[in-house]
Amino acid sequence: MNSWLRTVKPVARVRARIVCLPCTAGSASVYRSWAPMLPRGVELTAVELPGHGTRVGTEPEERVERIVHHVSRELAPLALASPLVLFGHSTGALLAYETARRLCAQGAPPSLLVPAALCPADRLDRKANGVLAERPDRLRAHLGRLGQAPPGVAASPGLRTAELGAARAGLRILAGAPAPGAPLDVPLIALAGRHDPLYPPPLMVPWQHLTRRWLGLRILHGDHFFPWQSDEVPRLLADMTLLASGSSTDTEWDGALVAN
């Protein structure tokens, strides 16, 4: 299977798509629990990175530009066909942002960008991520501190060799993250877990500088894996995806957001 995309919730007639990019040691399967919460006509797709999930036998990819090249090539025709919402959790937030940049350059911008549980690249501690990638003992301890991970995310101190390789690749992605570009002309809402030990709400605020259409920061209950600790995130994405499918104005976007 050569595609980097996995359809988690297929629909016969696509009204809009949510495309998810997973965290450091996550797979596309982590988003399966969201499918029942999405309305009819909204397709749910996830990116399966090399070395993760169904691609566990392949060499993990550590270069952002290579990942973005492959993912954007598959997503560009989809973004032109119907509204496309990009959601990224942790390392996936960086990849979602860079994919949005590439899609904008290709004339196929997403309708909405939703980074969660990761600050912008210019605020990352690249050195610390690089050290974690090279020290298996520290990496295992680090993953064990993140919180209660959902099925499909390797976040246990007792990682198997393949899972450890995927986690290491994700941290090397963060260590080599490119600097952000000019603000995107794409609506962007950032999501934070109230008790996230890595990227608490204040570290998510700088996302406002990477867009000309800032929709604010939503603070939700939970730790680093807050998107799976309640149904708030998939339901929020569902609501905003339906707004995107109606070609909503910025005023309508703002009215759809509820207080933290």
Side-chain angles (χ1 to χ4, degrees):
M1 185 180 295
N2 294 324
S3 174
W4 286 53
L5 304 181
R6 301 290 183 267
T7 302
V8 180
K9 180 207 166 194
V11 297
R13 298 182 63 182
V14 177
R15 182 176 176 185
R17 286 183 176 87
I18 299 173
V19 177
C20 301
L21 290 100
C23 65
T24 300
S27 68
S29 66
V30 74
Y31 295 102
R32 287 176 183 165
S33 63
W34 291 11
M37 290 175 262
L38 300 182
R40 181 180 302 173
V42 175
E43 185 172 271
L44 180 62
T45 298
V47 172
E48 190 82 285
L49 296 175
H52 297 67
T54 57
R55 305 180 71 189
V56 72
T58 58
E59 186 71 20
E61 179 58 72
E62 302 171 358
R63 294 166 293 179
V64 174
E65 65 275 11
R66 288 281 296 168
I67 295 171
V68 170
H69 167 76
H70 287 286
V71 174
S72 62
R73 183 173 61 181
E74 291 195 58
L75 290 185
L78 302 182
L80 291 172
S82 59
L84 187 147
V85 171
L86 282 177
F87 170 84
H89 174 251
S90 191
T91 303
L94 167 68
L95 298 176
Y97 167 74
E98 291 295 333
T99 299
R101 284 181 63 186
R102 182 69 63 89
L103 289 173
C104 287
Q106 295 174 345
S111 299
L112 177 67
L113 175 61
V114 187
L118 187 81
C119 64
D122 57 346
R123 310 298 176 102
L124 286 170
D125 189 334
R126 290 175 171 81
K127 182 178 179 180
N129 283 300
V131 170
L132 285 173
E134 303 309 319
R135 293 286 302 273
D137 54 337
R138 292 191 183 183
L139 175 54
R140 287 187 170 93
H142 166 77
L143 294 172
R145 289 193 297 265
L146 293 183
Q148 184 60 47
V153 174
S156 166
L159 291 180
R160 296 172 297 180
T161 300
E163 293 171 334
L164 187 64
R168 184 185 297 116
L171 288 164
R172 286 174 176 164
I173 287 172
L174 297 182
L184 300 176
D185 189 22
V186 173
L188 188 155
I189 179 172
L191 306 182
R194 191 176 303 277
H195 304 294
D196 189 337
L198 289 184
Y199 301 101
L203 292 185
M204 298 297 294
V205 175
W207 280 104
Q208 66 183 308
H209 304 302
L210 303 190
T211 178
R212 291 193 286 271
R213 302 176 67 185
W214 173 242
L215 302 180
L217 170 67
R218 283 290 306 277
I219 303 172
L220 304 172
H221 174 74
D223 54 34
H224 191 65
F225 295 106
F226 69 91
W228 295 273
Q229 291 165 357
S230 76
D231 62 2
E232 290 181 291
V233 172
R235 294 194 185 282
L236 173 65
L237 286 175
D239 290 344
M240 300 196 77
T241 301
L242 291 178
L243 280 173
S245 68
S247 302
S248 301
T249 65
D250 285 341
T251 300
E252 289 172 321
W253 281 119
D254 293 340
L257 303 180
V258 299
N260 295 329

